[in-house]
Amino acid sequence: VPPLPDKRGRRRALAGAVAVALLGALVFAPSAWAGWFLPESGGSPNADAIRTMYILIAVLALIVFVGVEGLLIWSLLRYRARKGRVAAQIHGNTQLEIGWTVGAFLLLIFITVFTFVLLPDVKNPAASEIDENGNPVAANVRYAQTNRPGPPAGSASMNITVVGEQYVWSYSYPGEEDVLTYTDMYVPVGMTITLDIQSKDVAHSWWIPKLGGKADAVPGYTNKSWFQIPLDAIPEGEDRVVFDGQCAELCGRNHADMLGRVIGLRYDDWRAWYERKAEEIQEARDEAAQQREELQAEEPR
Amino acid sequence: VADASMHVEAGLRARPRPQIVAHDVSQPRRGWTSWLITTDHKKIGILYLATVLVFFVVGGVEALLLRIQLGTPENTFLSPEKYNQIFTMHGTTMIFLVIVPVWAGFANYFMPLMIGARDVAFPRLNAWSYWMFLFGGIALYASLFFTPPEAGWTSYVPLSEKEYSPSNGQEAWIYMVHLTGLGSIVGAINFIATIHNMRAPGMGWGRMPLFVWTILIYSYLIILALTSLAATVTMLLLDRNFGTAFFDPTEGGSALLWQHLFWFFGHPEVYILVLPAFGMFSEILPVFARKPIFGYKAIAAATAGIAFLGMLVWAHHMFTTPMSTVVLAFFMLSSFLIAVPTGVKIFNWVATLWRGTVEYRVALLFCVGGIATFLMGGITGIFLAVFPVDWQLHDTYFVVAHFHYTAFGAAAFAMMAALYYWFPKMTGRMMSESLGKVSFWLFLVGFQLTFLIQHSAGLDGMPRRIYEYSDAAGWGTMNLISTIGAFVLAFSVLLTIINLVRSLKRGTVAGPDPWKANTLEWFTTSPPPENNFDVVPRVRSVEPMKDIRRQIERQSGVAARYETGKPMVRA
């Protein structure tokens, strides 16, 4: 005679499977899910780390939410006033009070620990995947992370100054050529980009959702942020990857129109773009200087 | 009419007590002028509530205008200028002219009744508080005739400085804050003096109704927070008009200073909005579950705990500004801590329903709907308290959803519950339960439809306070759903207003205690006379009315006769 199936065990297994499936669905969600249930990610390791944090909190939150709402609705339905039913005259229960206070504490301590374990991945700029000449760096030679404002020593990085003003973003690139662009920021993929974020007038907030969290541009202060677009982010057969964003702090009437984009290019393409841009800027400067001279010459003495 | 023989008999047994003999009782004043000169806490309460209703409708219409604009991508229904003005007015109205004063209104009417007092401690000052609130509201709305403010209800500098907001609307906003703030501060002093000194005999701190507890803490928070805000907006006024540079970085000031000072007020303000709502839940649930409140002391202590911690979390509104990790971590942990007493309250409310006999009255439904909604807001608050996660969510529609789930979920649901619960006491008539239930379900569904989807919009990258978005952004469907929800919500409020107006004249006569409730306001007639009580009973528990009913049953022998099974015959 085959043994009778253990109903309780089966139910437990089913519940476990559902939980795992739920967790799995959240973790390995297709990108379509991201927009509805998860923060944007995929453009930079810090955005991915934030997403991982979000998922953990979401799983815990879901359990608490379903549990408490369930109890609330169940109590409402189960203890509906009926003929002959008498309400229990209970005034409280100290053990229960202590229990749920401690329970809430433990849950929060767990989230705290998890947050601080993941924090360095969000906060500290990662080592670049390429060196200053655009050659890939093997993962095992990249340096360990420590709590510092820039990427690890010895790793290539690029610092761009982002300046907000009503209603446009401008970007100053490093180098003697003083290259400056508006709205569109061009960066090489694989390189860690550190940002100095400033404002010329009112407060703005720099935010490209897929590249990580936002950082306010407050006049009189320099805020810091960073991102690193993965080397494989550019789709096969294309020459660029584009990430959209916009100002996230009310900055006046046209706040909604203060857009920003980050365009990732392969290192060689980026180098070419940079040189062309530097040339254009030099030409424009020369032209302006010439016009100035002409105007001064024309001016009657 | 006094019975002379009884007097003599009583006089023989007890020593005579000094008595006030009235030679002449003046008729209570009627007519519209009586409303202008009144110092009766109940009339002032009604003035507050009626004014709040008007501002609630105005603020709601503003919300609908915003939702229409955002309902479709690239909409041109409102200009950017109008859009900014309207969301500034919406936020300012709902915070300063609706939720803070609605609790002042209900507390004015009911706090003295609940503690068995004949009025508040300083009745004339009380009237002054109301008029300051009204003038504050008028000061803000007078700006409609020139240029309304447009820097948001938070009025961040430098945007709110003269250079970037040159219109006088910003001054109107500052004067509104000053006038309503003064009214609130003076009102809070009045409440504190009343609660500390004028409770019925026997009503120790452990027998005070939980709504009164929350009003006491609300009052202390107002004194701490609104005085600070008054100083802050004065600095802005000086910066704008008198050449100071508190907030101007080019002159050595700091733009972040405003944010710190504003949120030092702003976060306690959140608890000023929701604590009295928690008080309502704690009053109404036991009445309709026919069961004592579970964990009275824990709830009262949690109220004080929330208020204390609420003073220490302000910078969680500023996680994206330049701040060191230590500061970020401090404010994350203090924000986490607040979740504990808040959770304790929710657990106690659920436990109050547990093993009760729950009557599905409209007031109870609004309470349960409010708790269920607020829970969602509390949980999304944990996401926002984790500062790296907040770097993604801050200033997006996720935050808009979060604070509507908390402020609207607690305060607006509780406001509706309080209306349905106390309307019979204020007017002597009942509101329609069936219309109320329709209104409740539409309110609940409309609210969830409006705000649940906004979490997704925020996660998908939609920032707050944008007047338009491109079709390519892909936020069209979400926003359309939200806009439809807003109209459902508005319709449900309209139903309650219709219910209210109809019930004023046609409602069933309520009698003194239609709900068989627990607290002293139900001891007097509906509506109560000018000085509330002829006799103030000695209070022996948190539920004095239950004690009184039990005593009457015992004295009249009704219960004993009922138990014998003999037919009840009137003597």
Side-chain angles (χ1 to χ4, degrees):
Chain A
V1 182
L4 282 167
D6 180 4
K7 257 194 177 172
R8 241 169 103 203
R10 227 205 239 164
R11 214 178 288 161
R12 215 176 276 165
L14 191 71
V18 168
V20 168
L22 213 66
L23 207 74
L26 278 168
V27 175
F28 304 105
S31 59
W33 271 58
W36 288 72
F37 298 104
L38 297 173
E40 301 273 295
S41 61
S44 178
N46 48 350
D48 300 346
I50 290 175
R51 196 184 81 135
T52 311
M53 274 188 199
Y54 185 95
I55 290 170
L56 171 96
I57 304 168
V59 170
L60 294 176
L62 200 69
I63 295 167
V64 173
F65 180 78
V66 170
V68 179
E69 296 282 11
L71 262 177
L72 181 68
I73 293 165
W74 183 78
S75 308
L76 204 63
L77 297 176
R78 168 70 181 74
Y79 297 108
R80 185 174 186 167
R82 291 236 174 80
K83 230 180 187 172
R85 202 173 260 174
V86 182
Q89 300 299 301
I90 310 164
H91 288 267
N93 183 323
T94 311
Q95 280 172 334
L96 213 53
E97 300 284 354
I98 294 171
W100 55 50
T101 308
V102 172
F105 261 116
L106 291 179
L107 201 63
L108 292 172
I109 288 170
F110 178 70
I111 298 178
T112 307
V113 170
F114 190 82
T115 303
F116 284 107
V117 167
L118 268 184
L119 183 63
D121 292 351
V122 181
K123 206 170 159 49
N124 300 334
S128 290
E129 292 179 9
I130 55 174
D131 65 16
E132 57 274 19
N133 300 315
N135 303 314
V137 178
N140 57 2
V141 248
R142 287 187 213 146
Y143 294 79
Q145 306 265 333
T146 49
N147 191 0
R148 73 179 90 209
S155 170
S157 73
M158 187 191 293
N159 187 67
I160 295 176
T161 304
V162 177
V163 179
E165 61 187 297
Q166 286 177 326
Y167 301 95
V168 70
W169 291 107
S170 69
Y171 317 109
S172 311
Y173 298 79
E176 284 165 14
E177 296 88 348
D178 287 339
V179 170
L180 181 82
T181 60
Y182 287 94
T183 305
D184 288 350
M185 179 195 286
Y186 288 84
V187 295
V189 295
M191 178 80 82
T192 295
I193 313 292
T194 55
L195 302 174
D196 283 346
I197 296 158
Q198 298 165 347
S199 167
K200 268 191 188 165
D201 41 39
V202 301
H204 304 274
S205 188
W206 165 255
W207 189 35
I208 308 290
K210 284 190 164 60
L211 301 185
K214 56 185 76 62
D216 288 3
V218 184
Y221 294 85
T222 298
N223 211 347
K224 302 268 180 190
S225 186
W226 71 278
F227 63 88
Q228 184 201 79
I229 302 171
L231 273 174
D232 55 6
I234 301 175
E236 205 67 40
E238 286 178 39
D239 66 342
R240 62 185 57 201
V241 58
V242 180
F243 297 103
D244 290 303
Q246 66 187 91
C247 175
E249 177 69 64
L250 175 66
C251 58
R253 290 179 187 171
N254 286 81
H255 167 50
D257 306 323
M258 186 166 165
L259 306 177
R261 287 205 302 180
V262 170
I263 296 164
L265 303 173
R266 290 192 186 87
Y267 188 82
D268 294 339
D269 291 345
W270 180 81
R271 197 74 234 171
W273 169 86
Y274 184 85
E275 271 152 21
R276 200 171 60 243
K277 198 79 196 168
E279 223 166 87
E280 277 172 19
I281 286 175
Q282 197 51 50
E283 271 170 27
R285 277 197 193 119
D286 291 346
E287 208 174 302
Q290 200 183 335
Q291 278 177 350
R292 221 171 8 248
E293 262 170 41
E294 281 169 15
L295 279 168
Q296 277 167 352
E298 273 174 30
E299 212 171 289
R301 309 234 158 156
Chain B
V1 183
D3 187 351
S5 64
M6 242 177 78
H7 257 293
V8 175
E9 214 177 306
L12 289 173
R13 264 192 266 123
R15 288 207 293 178
R17 289 183 186 177
Q19 283 184 1
I20 295 167
V21 180
H23 294 289
D24 170 32
V25 177
S26 57
Q27 284 293 314
R29 284 167 170 277
R30 293 185 190 284
W32 67 273
T33 50
S34 73
W35 292 95
L36 296 182
I37 59 169
T38 185
T39 58
D40 177 13
H41 72 97
K42 296 181 293 297
K43 278 196 160 175
I44 293 170
I46 288 174
L47 284 173
Y48 264 111
L49 294 174
T51 315
V52 163
L53 184 64
V54 172
F55 282 128
F56 186 53
V57 170
V58 173
V61 169
E62 285 160 356
L64 290 181
L65 293 174
L66 301 176
R67 282 313 327 163
I68 293 172
Q69 166 67 16
L70 291 179
T72 49
E74 288 156 47
N75 199 353
T76 51
F77 174 67
L78 294 174
S79 67
E81 178 191 358
K82 286 272 176 300
Y83 185 86
N84 286 13
Q85 290 168 347
I86 292 172
F87 76 63
T88 302
M89 294 297 268
H90 167 74
T92 308
T93 303
M94 288 306 191
I95 302 272
F96 291 98
L97 305 178
V98 176
I99 309 182
V100 176
V102 83
W103 299 127
F106 280 121
N108 240 298
Y109 201 110
F110 289 100
M111 182 271 289
L113 284 165
M114 291 173 103
I115 63 171
R118 294 200 162 94
D119 205 318
V120 291
F122 312 113
R124 278 191 238 180
L125 213 52
N126 196 23
W128 190 81
S129 289
Y130 165 73
W131 293 106
M132 282 298 107
F133 155 59
L134 179 68
F135 293 147
I138 292 172
L140 180 70
Y141 272 89
S143 71
L144 285 182
F145 298 105
F146 43 104
T147 343
E150 51 180 300
W153 86 276
T154 49
S155 288
Y156 271 18
V157 294
L159 185 61
S160 59
E161 291 274 17
K162 200 125 205 161
E163 199 181 342
Y164 303 104
S165 297
S167 84
N168 289 338
Q170 197 60 46
E171 268 75 25
W173 183 87
I174 293 170
Y175 294 137
M176 183 282 304
V177 170
H178 269 313
L179 292 171
T180 58
L182 267 177
S184 293
I185 293 164
V186 169
I189 293 171
N190 215 337
F191 287 160
I192 291 171
T194 310
I195 295 170
H196 275 271
N197 298 308
M198 295 169 67
R199 300 195 305 278
M203 187 183 278
W205 292 110
R207 292 177 189 167
M208 201 163 80
L210 284 164
F211 178 71
V212 179
W213 262 110
T214 56
I215 288 300
L216 181 69
I217 308 272
Y218 153 99
S219 304
Y220 278 115
L221 278 179
I222 281 182
I223 289 178
L224 290 169
L226 286 178
T227 43
S228 154
L229 180 68
T232 311
V233 299
T234 306
M235 287 157 81
L236 181 60
L237 189 71
L238 293 175
D239 262 19
R240 286 177 59 88
N241 299 296
F242 301 100
T244 60
F246 291 110
F247 306 121
D248 182 359
T250 59
E251 302 274 344
S254 163
L256 271 190
L257 178 64
W258 169 272
Q259 296 192 24
H260 278 291
L261 291 175
F262 184 85
W263 289 116
F264 184 76
F265 141 82
H267 204 84
E269 174 80 353
V270 172
Y271 295 103
I272 291 171
L273 306 179
V274 302
L275 284 180
F278 293 169
M280 283 321 302
F281 298 155
S282 307
E283 289 301 329
I284 295 174
L285 289 180
V287 169
F288 295 111
R290 304 293 167 207
K291 192 167 161 273
I293 184 79
F294 194 91
Y296 170 91
K297 279 184 191 160
I299 293 181
T303 308
I306 291 172
F308 174 74
L309 293 170
M311 302 292 299
L312 300 174
V313 299
W314 75 89
H316 71 207
H317 298 264
M318 303 164 56
F319 279 159
T320 57
T321 61
M323 279 200 289
S324 79
T325 311
V326 179
V327 178
L328 294 170
F330 173 84
F331 283 101
M332 166 176 140
L333 294 178
S334 61
S335 308
F336 270 9
L337 281 184
I338 272 206
V340 176
T342 313
V344 165
K345 282 192 173 223
I346 293 176
F347 289 133
N348 278 301
W349 291 326
V350 174
T352 300
L353 292 177
W354 185 71
R355 292 185 62 193
T357 49
V358 186
E359 291 169 23
Y360 292 4
R361 296 297 190 149
V362 179
L364 177 108
L365 291 176
F366 270 110
C367 284
V368 174
I371 293 168
T373 307
F374 177 80
L375 176 67
M376 177 78 180
I379 284 178
T380 51
I382 294 292
F383 289 84
L384 294 169
V386 178
F387 59 90
V389 175
D390 184 70
W391 289 340
Q392 275 289 5
L393 303 178
H394 182 72
D395 262 330
T396 67
Y397 263 83
F398 190 95
V399 173
V400 176
H402 161 73
F403 68 69
H404 280 94
Y405 266 86
T406 51
F408 203 106
F413 275 79
M415 208 162 96
M416 298 291 267
L419 176 70
Y420 278 90
Y421 181 64
W422 275 331
F423 185 86
K425 180 51 64 182
M426 291 191 280
T427 63
R429 289 177 186 275
M430 311 289 287
M431 283 175 81
S432 157
E433 283 280 311
S434 45
L435 193 54
K437 276 179 187 162
V438 175
S439 175
F440 164 74
W441 284 109
L442 290 175
F443 197 80
L444 185 71
V445 171
F447 176 86
Q448 309 297 343
L449 210 54
T450 312
F451 293 107
L452 188 62
I453 197 79
Q454 290 186 0
H455 294 106
S456 294
L459 288 169
D460 204 26
M462 182 174 174
R464 291 170 73 177
R465 293 170 163 176
I466 53 169
Y467 75 95
E468 66 159 13
Y469 50 90
S470 73
D471 199 11
W475 303 324
T477 316
M478 297 174 179
N479 278 288
L480 184 64
I481 293 172
S482 185
T483 301
I484 292 168
F487 277 89
V488 175
L489 189 54
F491 181 65
S492 83
V493 173
L494 183 70
L495 285 185
T496 286
I497 293 174
I498 290 170
N499 194 351
L500 187 152
V501 172
R502 272 188 41 175
S503 305
L504 276 176
K505 289 259 182 272
R506 293 195 212 157
T508 322
V509 173
D513 185 11
W515 309 125
K516 283 199 170 178
N518 300 331
T519 39
L520 280 181
E521 74 268 32
W522 307 101
F523 185 61
T524 180
T525 54
S526 305
E530 196 154 353
N531 287 313
N532 301 347
F533 303 102
D534 288 341
V535 183
V536 180
R538 174 163 273 279
V539 174
R540 286 170 296 168
S541 77
V542 195
E543 300 167 318
M545 282 305 285
K546 225 183 229 177
D547 301 337
I548 290 168
R549 275 196 299 271
R550 208 176 288 142
Q551 195 181 344
I552 289 171
E553 276 177 14
R554 209 181 300 127
Q555 280 175 356
S556 61
V558 170
R561 261 187 290 162
Y562 179 77
E563 275 161 21
T564 61
K566 284 181 190 162
M568 305 273 276
V569 186
R570 281 198 183 191

